[in-house]
Amino acid sequence: MSSISSQKASLLSSFSSSTPQWKYDVFLSFRGEDTRTNFTDHLYVALKQKGIVTFRDEENLERGKSISPELLKAIKESRFAIVILSRNFASSTWYLDELTKIIGYMKEMTKTVLPIFYDVDPSNVRKQTGTFAQAFFEHEERLKDDIEKVHTWRAALREVANLKGWHLLDSSQKASSSSSFSSSTPQWKYDVFLSFRGEDTRTSFTDHLYIALKQKGIVTFRDEENLERGKPISPELLKAIKESRFAIVILSRNYASSTWCLDELTKIIGCMKEMTTIVLPIFYDVDPSNVRKQTGTFAQAFFEHEKRFKDDMEKVQTWRAALKEVANLKGWHLQDRSEAQLIQNIVGELWHKLSYVFSKDTENLVGIESRVKKLESCLAIGSNDVRIIGVWGMGGIGKTTLARVVFRMVSNKFEGCCFLPNVREVCEKDGLIPLQQQLMRKILNESMNIQDVDEGVFVIKNRLHHKRILLVLDDVNQLDQLKKLVGKHNWFGLGSRVIITTRDKHLLRIPKVDKICEVEGLSDDEALHLLSLKAFNKDHPPKDYLELSKDAVQYTKGLPLAIEILGSFLFSRSINQWKSTLIRIKEFPERAIFQALKISYDGLHETEKKYSCILHFSLIVRKKIV
């Protein structure tokens, strides 16, 4: 026992310093694009004038994937950290990483952290609403394979928002807008953007198409009338166009009579040329030649435009060119066809196109193919029975990633689909009712006001028992979650499939789960491939780093999250830095890896901990958390 105590004391002493040596009084954390040349500049000057030694990143520090050693050292050596939380603070992963480090040092050392809420409400930061909600929507889309990192950022924002600081209201100095739409690699938020003339098709064809797309799990943006329609296109709508992989333009008889629609079309064609947006026209009760040549109703519309804009004929010519261009693109022509049949054809073709794109997107998911085949085999999609499948494994092993990939691959085979992410976190925060409401909204495309959990159970059973559905419950940790969201096989129609991801295998033994698909760690070759992608942006490590890479992989024992964290940490590091890092990891993991593996360890039962494939790390974690 005394030996264990001494080891524990030794480990703890390696983490803490009895007397920190402060080089700076204050470290300033801020989003440069928002406040560098205004509020932050004034504050920095004022602090210096008072003789307060202040560190501010002067832009010449390299901003890469990880925080530079120089900046990390400055954070450690500062007695106070002032965090200026502006409207777009959370849109930058770099600043979120910096904040996470600051909060970490606040806990480990005697650092005081003081937030300034600059033209943003503390509740928006705490709850991640407003611009913070938008930022995290994009982070979760982009980092869906590393959702733990996103959770860490959320926790850091909640923590800083609960600290005592200052709130700047109605500032006379507004943060400059830095929204930029140019990106070498577009980050798609939507699969499809719908462009249409509301008066012609909103409550008929467009409405039916929108519902059909949503039911197939195709993420679609449609102007919901509450976006203000003025002369220029709103920034919100312009952003949605640029964040959509496909744009469907529904060209109806009176489409060209709206200058607003013509402006929108011009922007869409621009995105097609500048980015990789694919534009698909639908000719709804209008002949493509009328659009191309601007005859018929299109001729009348342009006659009016040329009278109205006689002093700006260049704009009219731009609209004409956009219509000619879209009319020459491959799309669909309604003619005398059934609208319902046309919509089925459109959704089917789009799904095929998206599936191809999705398959290309998953190429960098190392080791995914064999795991997908294993889960698909468990699902047995061709069978007409109802099946509930458990996906089990430790935290960070890739359960959510696997479930998302399979969900996207097979969801076109069901009448309704729903992926409920982060069940554990949502349930702890808001309870089961929001999850029940979300489930019904996604599958039936209608909002329901569920008053209590038992009513939610009744609604799910009665509305879905005849419907062939695909449902994923991600990160389940309580039996009650299964009872109130899934219940029994007869809640759902024949051919339905339910996938449950969890760290707790025991949960899957209590309800009647048909099969348990265990997600195993990566093989040595797969782990080396993933590490190389993260550390070198290559499929294989450079020759000089090969042996070091093999050593690094051994410490992670096939855990993808740990490999990604370690690889990202070692990105652009020298051989000596690699050696130094691996030596330190032998004694104690880097904090980021420690956190990732602690998540995995905490999710295991005692017997599983004893035989865990990350025993080397978990023993250290056990000593740390005792």
Side-chain angles (χ1 to χ4, degrees):
M1 182 70 80
S2 61
S3 174
I4 293 174
S5 298
S6 63
Q7 286 177 340
K8 178 176 161 185
S10 174
L11 281 168
L12 291 174
S13 66
S14 70
F15 251 78
S16 60
S17 173
S18 58
T19 310
Q21 298 299 313
W22 308 119
K23 180 177 178 181
Y24 305 102
D25 296 318
V26 173
F27 177 93
L28 285 183
S29 175
F30 59 97
R31 190 172 193 276
E33 293 86 340
D34 284 1
T35 66
R36 178 183 295 279
T37 60
N38 44 63
F39 179 81
T40 298
D41 207 31
H42 299 319
L43 176 61
Y44 179 66
V45 170
L47 290 168
K48 285 189 71 177
Q49 286 175 342
K50 289 294 183 183
I52 298 171
V53 183
T54 304
F55 180 93
R56 177 180 68 167
D57 168 13
E58 293 293 352
E59 295 184 300
N60 56 348
L61 297 181
E62 183 182 352
R63 298 225 161 196
K65 289 190 176 179
S66 57
I67 297 176
S68 68
E70 183 180 354
L71 207 63
L72 194 60
K73 189 167 181 285
I75 296 171
K76 283 183 179 180
E77 294 176 341
S78 300
R79 186 186 300 273
F80 294 88
I82 293 179
V83 181
I84 302 169
L85 295 149
S86 52
R87 286 176 55 82
N88 298 309
F89 185 92
S91 65
S92 166
T93 59
W94 204 94
Y95 297 106
L96 292 170
D97 280 339
E98 183 176 273
L99 175 63
T100 304
K101 293 291 185 185
I102 289 170
I103 294 297
Y105 291 135
M106 179 185 77
K107 294 176 179 178
E108 292 171 18
M109 306 164 72
T110 56
K111 187 180 304 300
T112 302
V113 178
L114 302 166
I116 296 176
F117 303 95
Y118 181 82
D119 281 345
V120 66
D121 195 279
S123 67
N124 286 345
V125 180
R126 187 178 304 111
K127 299 174 184 177
Q128 282 109 63
T129 53
T131 55
F132 285 73
Q134 175 65 29
F136 273 95
F137 182 90
E138 293 173 7
H139 295 327
E140 287 172 352
E141 285 289 303
R142 189 168 61 87
L143 299 171
K144 56 189 174 185
D145 299 327
D146 192 5
I147 205 68
E148 296 293 346
K149 177 189 278 285
V150 180
H151 291 167
T152 303
W153 292 338
R154 285 189 181 277
L157 282 169
R158 283 195 291 269
E159 193 131 9
V160 76
N162 286 323
L163 298 174
K164 186 176 179 181
W166 300 274
H167 185 188
L168 183 66
L169 290 168
D170 299 320
S171 167
S172 60
Q173 296 187 50
K174 297 294 181 183
S176 60
S177 171
S178 60
S179 59
S180 171
F181 291 107
S182 60
S183 172
S184 56
T185 306
Q187 297 296 326
W188 308 119
K189 181 177 176 181
Y190 305 102
D191 295 322
V192 173
F193 177 93
L194 286 181
S195 174
F196 59 98
R197 191 172 192 276
E199 293 85 341
D200 285 359
T201 65
R202 179 184 292 281
T203 59
S204 52
F205 181 82
T206 298
D207 207 32
H208 301 149
L209 176 60
Y210 178 67
I211 290 169
L213 291 168
K214 283 192 70 178
Q215 285 176 339
K216 286 300 181 186
I218 297 173
V219 183
T220 305
F221 181 93
R222 176 180 68 169
D223 168 16
E224 294 292 353
E225 291 184 305
N226 55 350
L227 297 179
E228 185 181 352
R229 293 225 165 200
K231 288 185 179 179
I233 297 179
S234 69
E236 183 178 355
L237 209 61
L238 185 59
K239 190 167 184 284
I241 293 170
K242 298 203 175 192
E243 291 176 341
S244 299
R245 192 185 295 272
F246 292 88
I248 292 180
V249 182
I250 302 170
L251 295 151
S252 51
R253 288 176 57 81
N254 300 308
Y255 186 92
S257 66
S258 166
T259 59
W260 206 95
C261 289
L262 292 171
D263 278 340
E264 184 175 271
L265 176 63
T266 303
K267 295 293 184 184
I268 289 170
I269 295 298
C271 286
M272 180 184 74
K273 293 177 178 178
E274 295 168 15
M275 305 163 71
T276 55
T277 304
I278 298 171
V279 181
L280 302 166
I282 297 174
F283 301 96
Y284 182 82
D285 281 346
V286 66
D287 194 277
S289 66
N290 287 344
V291 181
R292 188 180 303 112
K293 299 174 183 177
Q294 285 107 61
T295 54
T297 55
F298 285 73
Q300 179 60 36
F302 273 93
F303 179 78
E304 298 295 331
H305 296 328
E306 287 175 352
K307 284 199 300 183
R308 181 181 169 194
F309 295 98
K310 58 186 177 184
D311 296 328
D312 191 4
M313 288 303 290
E314 188 176 342
K315 177 189 280 285
V316 178
Q317 292 307 315
T318 303
W319 292 337
R320 285 189 181 276
L323 283 169
K324 286 176 188 170
E325 193 131 12
V326 76
N328 285 322
L329 298 174
K330 186 180 178 182
W332 301 273
H333 187 188
L334 181 62
Q335 288 179 314
D336 297 323
R337 299 163 65 184
S338 156
E339 286 192 15
Q341 186 59 51
L342 178 63
I343 286 172
Q344 284 186 7
N345 292 345
I346 291 168
V347 172
E349 280 194 48
L350 263 176
W351 181 263
H352 178 73
K353 292 176 186 291
L354 285 165
S355 296
Y356 173 76
V357 170
F358 185 68
S359 67
K360 299 297 287 182
D361 288 345
T362 59
E363 285 179 357
N364 284 335
L365 295 178
V366 176
I368 197 67
E369 287 186 16
S370 60
R371 290 155 181 82
V372 165
K373 287 178 182 176
K374 183 177 178 182
L375 180 52
E376 280 189 303
S377 174
C378 292
L379 288 171
I381 298 294
S383 172
N384 203 36
D385 57 352
V386 177
R387 293 199 175 195
I388 301 176
I389 306 299
V391 175
W392 168 69
M394 66 178 65
I397 202 72
K399 300 182 298 297
T400 300
T401 300
L402 173 60
R404 280 192 185 279
V405 170
V406 172
F407 177 83
R408 193 63 183 268
M409 288 175 65
V410 304
S411 57
N412 66 321
K413 296 177 173 65
F414 297 86
E415 294 176 301
C417 306
C418 175
F419 191 109
L420 288 179
N422 308 317
V423 169
R424 170 176 56 86
E425 182 180 331
V426 174
C427 200
E428 287 172 358
K429 184 181 177 184
D430 301 314
L432 280 164
I433 292 175
L435 290 167
Q436 291 176 325
Q437 290 174 325
Q438 187 179 355
L439 189 158
M440 297 305 295
R441 184 173 64 252
K442 285 191 173 183
I443 290 178
L444 297 179
N445 197 41
E446 57 181 273
S447 296
M448 294 188 179
N449 185 20
I450 296 173
Q451 298 296 323
D452 57 60
V453 173
D454 290 336
E455 181 188 349
V457 169
F458 177 81
V459 170
I460 293 170
K461 286 195 296 185
N462 281 273
R463 294 294 302 275
L464 301 183
H465 73 275
H466 64 287
K467 204 168 184 69
R468 178 184 169 91
I469 65 110
L470 173 63
L471 171 63
V472 176
L473 303 183
D474 175 53
D475 195 18
V476 171
N477 72 330
Q478 297 291 334
L479 179 60
D480 201 44
Q481 295 160 1
L482 297 179
K483 287 182 175 180
K484 306 302 184 186
L485 295 170
V486 176
K488 299 179 180 178
H489 288 63
N490 62 7
W491 283 23
F492 311 107
L494 292 177
S496 293
R497 296 293 184 268
V498 178
I499 300 172
I500 300 162
T501 77
T502 183
R503 302 174 195 167
D504 187 352
K505 192 174 185 179
H506 181 65
L507 275 179
L508 301 174
R509 296 190 179 115
I510 299 171
K512 190 179 177 183
V513 171
D514 296 283
K515 280 194 176 182
I516 297 176
C517 177
E518 180 181 355
V519 183
E520 299 175 342
L522 299 176
S523 68
D524 286 349
D525 287 343
E526 290 170 337
L528 188 63
H529 183 194
L530 179 58
L531 181 75
S532 183
L533 288 173
K534 296 298 176 181
F536 307 108
N537 285 329
K538 297 178 180 178
D539 288 332
H540 305 286
K543 188 175 179 181
D544 293 348
Y545 285 84
L546 180 59
E547 292 306 317
L548 286 170
S549 297
K550 288 179 179 178
D551 288 345
V553 161
Q554 293 307 308
Y555 295 122
T556 64
K557 299 299 179 183
L559 189 67
L561 180 59
I563 296 167
E564 290 187 6
I565 291 170
L566 181 57
S568 297
F569 177 79
L570 292 171
F571 180 79
S572 294
R573 307 267 180 180
S574 67
I575 288 178
N576 286 336
Q577 288 173 315
W578 272 63
K579 289 178 179 178
S580 174
T581 298
L582 295 181
I583 289 170
R584 292 202 305 274
I585 288 177
K586 286 180 183 178
E587 299 173 2
F588 205 94
E590 292 294 331
R591 181 170 179 79
I593 295 178
F594 169 79
Q595 291 295 343
L597 295 170
K598 184 176 182 297
I599 290 167
S600 304
Y601 182 76
D602 288 347
L604 301 174
H605 290 295
E606 288 303 317
T607 54
E608 292 167 328
K609 288 176 182 175
K610 197 174 296 181
Y611 300 106
S612 165
C613 66
I614 55 166
L615 185 60
H616 175 73
F617 287 127
S618 65
L619 288 173
I620 297 172
V621 175
R622 189 196 298 269
K623 292 172 185 174
K624 174 65 179 172
I625 63 177
V626 167

